[in-house]
Amino acid sequence: MSVKYKVLPRKNPQDLLAPEKFYAAAIADGETDLDKLAEQISYQCTVTESDCYAVLLSLERNIISELEQGRIVKLGRLGNFQIGVSSEGRDTAEEVTSGAITKTRILFRPGKRLRSLLNDLSFRKAS
């Protein structure tokens, strides 16, 4: 199994006059959606494709609901989801309000098996 990459030029944001350097960037080789995952899972167990799809949709809805309540969603060996924020710095703690928040994101921390996938990858340059 190998992941494709392409080479991209990038400027140094701290020195825009410096010459560009070239970096590898992973590129996707297709995509898989919930329909495809439900089909694949149904072939690996006795649950029907439509049942798998219903469970995956329910999982998505419940992850969203729990994140909206500020909870960490732990999915066992798969990993954890959590809300993260960035904010502007203020001189005192009292000055930090929700208005200082500049960016929100969903953090995913993969479990051990997903993390170990990164150790076993090989790469090939896209043509």
Side-chain angles (χ1 to χ4, degrees), residues 98-120:
S98 62
I101 295 173
T102 58
K103 182 179 178 182
T104 57
R105 60 197 171 281
I106 297 173
L107 305 172
F108 176 70
R109 292 184 190 91
K112 286 182 183 178
R113 287 185 65 190
L114 279 176
R115 280 193 318 266
S116 70
L117 161 78
L118 299 175
N119 299 328
D120 299 329

Short mmCIF file of all heavy atoms in Angstrom, two decimals, residues 98-120:
data_model
loop_
_atom_site.label_atom_id
_atom_site.label_comp_id
_atom_site.label_asym_id
_atom_site.label_seq_id
_atom_site.Cartn_x
_atom_site.Cartn_y
_atom_site.Cartn_z
N SER A 98 -15.84 35.14 25.02
CA SER A 98 -16.11 34.36 23.82
C SER A 98 -15.83 35.18 22.56
O SER A 98 -15.54 34.62 21.51
CB SER A 98 -17.55 33.84 23.81
OG SER A 98 -18.45 34.93 23.82
N GLY A 99 -15.87 36.51 22.67
CA GLY A 99 -15.55 37.36 21.53
C GLY A 99 -14.10 37.28 21.11
O GLY A 99 -13.74 37.67 20.00
N ALA A 100 -13.23 36.79 21.98
CA ALA A 100 -11.81 36.65 21.66
C ALA A 100 -11.53 35.40 20.83
O ALA A 100 -10.45 35.26 20.26
CB ALA A 100 -10.98 36.63 22.94
N ILE A 101 -12.50 34.50 20.76
CA ILE A 101 -12.30 33.26 20.00
C ILE A 101 -12.32 33.57 18.52
O ILE A 101 -13.26 34.18 18.01
CB ILE A 101 -13.36 32.21 20.37
CG1 ILE A 101 -13.18 31.80 21.84
CG2 ILE A 101 -13.28 30.99 19.45
CD1 ILE A 101 -14.26 30.91 22.38
N THR A 102 -11.26 33.17 17.82
CA THR A 102 -11.11 33.49 16.40
C THR A 102 -11.30 32.29 15.49
O THR A 102 -11.55 32.45 14.30
CB THR A 102 -9.70 34.07 16.13
OG1 THR A 102 -8.72 33.10 16.55
CG2 THR A 102 -9.49 35.37 16.88
N LYS A 103 -11.17 31.10 16.04
CA LYS A 103 -11.23 29.90 15.18
C LYS A 103 -11.70 28.72 16.00
O LYS A 103 -11.30 28.56 17.15
CB LYS A 103 -9.84 29.63 14.60
CG LYS A 103 -9.76 28.46 13.66
CD LYS A 103 -8.33 28.31 13.14
CE LYS A 103 -8.19 27.12 12.24
NZ LYS A 103 -6.82 26.94 11.77
N THR A 104 -12.55 27.91 15.40
CA THR A 104 -12.96 26.66 16.03
C THR A 104 -12.65 25.51 15.08
O THR A 104 -12.60 25.69 13.86
CB THR A 104 -14.48 26.65 16.35
OG1 THR A 104 -15.20 26.87 15.14
CG2 THR A 104 -14.83 27.73 17.36
N ARG A 105 -12.43 24.35 15.65
CA ARG A 105 -12.12 23.18 14.81
C ARG A 105 -12.49 21.93 15.58
O ARG A 105 -12.64 21.95 16.80
CB ARG A 105 -10.66 23.17 14.38
CG ARG A 105 -9.68 23.12 15.53
CD ARG A 105 -8.28 23.51 15.08
NE ARG A 105 -7.38 23.67 16.19
CZ ARG A 105 -7.31 24.73 16.99
NH1 ARG A 105 -8.14 25.73 16.81
NH2 ARG A 105 -6.45 24.78 17.97
N ILE A 106 -12.60 20.85 14.85
CA ILE A 106 -12.83 19.54 15.46
C ILE A 106 -11.49 18.82 15.45
O ILE A 106 -10.89 18.63 14.39
CB ILE A 106 -13.91 18.74 14.71
CG1 ILE A 106 -15.25 19.47 14.80
CG2 ILE A 106 -14.01 17.33 15.27
CD1 ILE A 106 -16.34 18.86 13.96
N LEU A 107 -11.04 18.42 16.62
CA LEU A 107 -9.79 17.69 16.75
C LEU A 107 -10.09 16.19 16.75
O LEU A 107 -11.05 15.76 17.39
CB LEU A 107 -9.09 18.07 18.06
CG LEU A 107 -8.83 19.56 18.28
CD1 LEU A 107 -8.32 19.79 19.69
CD2 LEU A 107 -7.85 20.07 17.25
N PHE A 108 -9.27 15.44 16.06
CA PHE A 108 -9.37 13.98 16.09
C PHE A 108 -8.04 13.44 16.52
O PHE A 108 -7.00 13.77 15.94
CB PHE A 108 -9.76 13.43 14.72
CG PHE A 108 -9.78 11.92 14.71
CD1 PHE A 108 -10.75 11.21 15.39
CD2 PHE A 108 -8.80 11.22 14.02
CE1 PHE A 108 -10.75 9.81 15.40
CE2 PHE A 108 -8.80 9.82 14.01
CZ PHE A 108 -9.77 9.13 14.71
N ARG A 109 -8.06 12.62 17.54
CA ARG A 109 -6.85 11.94 18.00
C ARG A 109 -7.01 10.45 17.71
O ARG A 109 -7.79 9.77 18.38
CB ARG A 109 -6.65 12.19 19.50
CG ARG A 109 -6.31 13.62 19.80
CD ARG A 109 -6.02 13.81 21.29
NE ARG A 109 -5.94 15.22 21.58
CZ ARG A 109 -6.96 15.98 21.96
NH1 ARG A 109 -8.16 15.47 22.10
NH2 ARG A 109 -6.79 17.26 22.21
N PRO A 110 -6.30 9.96 16.73
CA PRO A 110 -6.48 8.56 16.35
C PRO A 110 -5.99 7.60 17.44
O PRO A 110 -5.08 7.92 18.21
CB PRO A 110 -5.63 8.42 15.09
CG PRO A 110 -4.64 9.53 15.17
CD PRO A 110 -5.29 10.64 15.93
N GLY A 111 -6.60 6.42 17.46
CA GLY A 111 -6.18 5.35 18.36
C GLY A 111 -4.86 4.75 17.88
O GLY A 111 -4.33 5.10 16.83
N LYS A 112 -4.34 3.79 18.66
CA LYS A 112 -3.03 3.21 18.38
C LYS A 112 -2.93 2.58 16.99
O LYS A 112 -1.94 2.76 16.30
CB LYS A 112 -2.68 2.15 19.43
CG LYS A 112 -2.30 2.72 20.76
CD LYS A 112 -1.93 1.61 21.74
CE LYS A 112 -1.61 2.18 23.11
NZ LYS A 112 -1.30 1.12 24.07
N ARG A 113 -3.96 1.83 16.59
CA ARG A 113 -3.88 1.14 15.29
C ARG A 113 -3.85 2.14 14.14
O ARG A 113 -3.12 1.94 13.17
CB ARG A 113 -5.03 0.16 15.13
CG ARG A 113 -4.87 -1.08 16.00
CD ARG A 113 -5.95 -2.09 15.76
NE ARG A 113 -5.85 -2.61 14.41
CZ ARG A 113 -6.78 -3.38 13.84
NH1 ARG A 113 -7.85 -3.72 14.52
NH2 ARG A 113 -6.64 -3.82 12.62
N LEU A 114 -4.66 3.21 14.23
CA LEU A 114 -4.63 4.22 13.18
C LEU A 114 -3.29 4.95 13.16
O LEU A 114 -2.74 5.22 12.10
CB LEU A 114 -5.76 5.23 13.37
CG LEU A 114 -7.14 4.81 12.86
CD1 LEU A 114 -8.18 5.85 13.20
CD2 LEU A 114 -7.11 4.55 11.37
N ARG A 115 -2.76 5.29 14.33
CA ARG A 115 -1.45 5.95 14.40
C ARG A 115 -0.36 5.07 13.82
O ARG A 115 0.53 5.55 13.12
CB ARG A 115 -1.10 6.32 15.84
CG ARG A 115 -1.77 7.58 16.32
CD ARG A 115 -1.15 8.09 17.62
NE ARG A 115 -0.83 7.08 18.60
CZ ARG A 115 -1.62 6.70 19.60
NH1 ARG A 115 -2.80 7.26 19.76
NH2 ARG A 115 -1.24 5.77 20.45
N SER A 116 -0.43 3.77 14.08
CA SER A 116 0.62 2.87 13.58
C SER A 116 0.57 2.74 12.06
O SER A 116 1.58 2.40 11.45
CB SER A 116 0.52 1.50 14.25
OG SER A 116 -0.62 0.80 13.81
N LEU A 117 -0.57 3.02 11.47
CA LEU A 117 -0.67 3.01 10.00
C LEU A 117 0.38 3.94 9.40
O LEU A 117 0.99 3.64 8.38
CB LEU A 117 -2.08 3.47 9.58
CG LEU A 117 -2.25 3.96 8.14
CD1 LEU A 117 -2.30 2.77 7.20
CD2 LEU A 117 -3.47 4.81 8.00
N LEU A 118 0.62 5.07 10.05
CA LEU A 118 1.57 6.05 9.53
C LEU A 118 2.99 5.49 9.47
O LEU A 118 3.78 5.91 8.63
CB LEU A 118 1.53 7.32 10.38
CG LEU A 118 0.18 8.04 10.41
CD1 LEU A 118 0.22 9.20 11.38
CD2 LEU A 118 -0.23 8.48 9.02
N ASN A 119 3.31 4.55 10.34
CA ASN A 119 4.65 3.96 10.34
C ASN A 119 4.85 2.97 9.20
O ASN A 119 5.99 2.69 8.83
CB ASN A 119 4.91 3.24 11.67
CG ASN A 119 4.84 4.18 12.85
OD1 ASN A 119 5.18 5.35 12.75
ND2 ASN A 119 4.39 3.67 13.97
N ASP A 120 3.76 2.44 8.67
CA ASP A 120 3.86 1.38 7.67
C ASP A 120 3.62 1.86 6.24
O ASP A 120 3.57 1.04 5.33
CB ASP A 120 2.85 0.26 8.00
CG ASP A 120 3.12 -0.37 9.37
OD1 ASP A 120 4.29 -0.41 9.77
OD2 ASP A 120 2.14 -0.80 10.02
#
